[in-house]
Amino acid sequence: MEARSAEELLARAERAEAEKLRLITVHKDLELEFDLGNLLATDRNPPTGLRQRSGPGLEAQLRGLARDNVQLLINQLWQLPSERVEEAVVARLPEPSLRLPREKPLPKPRPLTRWQQFAQLKGIRPRKKTSLVWDEASKQWRRRWGYQRARDDTKEWLIEVPGGADPDEDQFAKRLQAKKERVARNELNRLRNIARAHKVQLPSQGGMHPTGYQSRAELGKAMQVAKVSTASVGRFQERLPKEKPPRGPGKKRQFQPNIGDFAAEKKSQLELIRVMNSKKPRMDVTRATNKQMREEDREEAAKKRKVAKGRGGKRKGRPLGPGGKGKGGPPGPGGKRKGRPPGLGGKKGQRQGGKRRK
Amino acid sequence: MSDNCGCNMEYKKEYLKNITRPFEDQTSLEFFSKKSDCSLFMFGCHNKKRPNNLIVGRMYDYHVLDMIELGIEKFVSLKDIKNSKCPEGTKPMLIFAGDAFDVSEDYRRLKSLLIDFFRGPTVPNIRLAGLEYVLHFTALDGKIYFRTYKLLLKKSGCRTPRIELEEMGPSLDLIMRRTYLASDDLYKLSMKLPKALKPKKKKNISHDTFGATYGRIHMQKQDLSKLQTRKMKGLKKRPAEKLTDNQENKPKKMKRRKIDSI
């Protein structure tokens, strides 16, 4: 008797459960595939039920199919772990399982920064630091850096003047200045690392070097860059009287094409061979005259130096000798420089100028 | 097309009145994608030869990856169906019905393209009451039926609600025309995962084809003669046998035992 009533109870409970679930159960031949991260469901069952091509019938069938599929998807979603966030029931979605192609290519690995390279070389590993430090002054645990930090340099009201420092120096201002410099250097290094990573050519700061020591070539380049950095790209910039136009980035050597004028090439080659074979030396008139002129200049300069040396040595004794020779007065008068290569004249001219004034 | 875009996507840029032929010349598309930094595009045009054309495509690194031309047979717009709509920008549910979506490569790419288009931003959590609408794609007899339904949650006996659907929004009957699919290696390249996202492999755990998980334990060398095994009383040596054994080996010990027993 009891067994039967127990059985009946169980059967009734099962039926009640089935009733409850009837509204939400859907029967499908093949199970759907779910990708809950994308809220996606794929139904692989062939749509054999939808044979009707006509309008309203088809719509109703499609809707029926859709309703079944959506019911199954919703059943899955309701089974996910849910939590209450501000009076709304929120389900936590898993990661989307379907892989879709990326929009942009993978980012390239960044090159190591200077510190990272050094650390790798030396085998230095980052040491984990505690986030709080014991502060003796306030007798509590304070953070290592930031607001209300443990050893705050800026809050000191007394700084002892160190032994070797100037007593009138403002130590507080010195500290501030040092901090500013550190921050600026840090920022500079960070930007340099980024530029190195992107292989961007670092801007040359107008070609000038921060220390001021630059070679002649670098200064020339800086001057060229500055000239071109105008609105009309240097077209209306005046040049100094003796300044030559810049060489420009064009080709330094010109090559004839391989397959050109064969007759002309043959002629020039034969001419070359004839000249090489001839016994008499050839003379370039311009070069010869220039050489002669230079020789004459040098002789005159040598003579004048001897005269000036004699004179200078008699009048002023030893102290002036080295001083005068080095960086004399203003550079020598331009008369010496007419029609001569200025570089050559310049050197001698300076020395001359120093002596001539006396 | 604006219906489609409007109700489905939040991030879109419109370029109207640009006459190009995407299948012949992709440079204008790539230019627009670079300019607006968008990777998905939809292009609609109409010729006598191809009436009511819609080209859906996606880009990888500002070059066209996949492009599929769909012809629209029947179109019902948002405005034609008069009922309440859901707010723009909600994440839709996507359902693909029909085995055709797995059979051919074209359909598979189309499926992935449509998912990419309509899925919206990836979110970790979703408000269960906020699931508003469903996009349902059915592949049947070479046609793809695209329907949008609004979700109505009805009471059922248990926690999970019963679903009723209401037609809303654009519905299209599409036919696949031309396709321009990326080559396999380009597709592979675009699918590459960065190292950080790859699932980390646990050491010493391997899986069987049947789904069984195997683990590996590394142990030190054991002296098997001193192994503590189960004691089977039946196999225990009887005293008589022990005596005969020990007689050969250790006579001294035997003597001691005798004395003890007395």
Side-chain angles (χ1 to χ4, degrees), chain A residues 251 254-262 265:
Chain A
K251 278 195 204 157
Q254 287 284 352
F255 290 105
Q256 298 292 335
N258 266 344
I259 305 165
D261 187 5
F262 287 125
E265 196 182 335

Side-chain angles (χ1 to χ4, degrees), chain A residues 155-208:
Chain A
K155 298 283 196 285
E156 276 187 33
W157 54 271
L158 178 94
I159 304 179
E160 286 179 11
V161 175
D166 181 17
D168 291 334
E169 205 181 9
D170 186 1
Q171 295 294 330
F172 295 97
K174 196 167 150 201
R175 240 186 219 180
L176 278 175
Q177 193 62 32
K179 166 114 189 152
K180 279 190 191 159
E181 278 171 16
R182 268 181 277 136
V183 168
R185 178 153 49 105
N186 218 343
E187 187 62 24
L188 177 69
N189 280 328
R190 183 181 76 90
L191 293 173
R192 271 210 220 133
N193 277 329
I194 292 171
R196 206 177 293 124
H198 291 249
K199 293 209 173 58
V200 164
Q201 195 184 16
L202 293 167
S204 54
Q205 295 157 311
M208 307 300 287

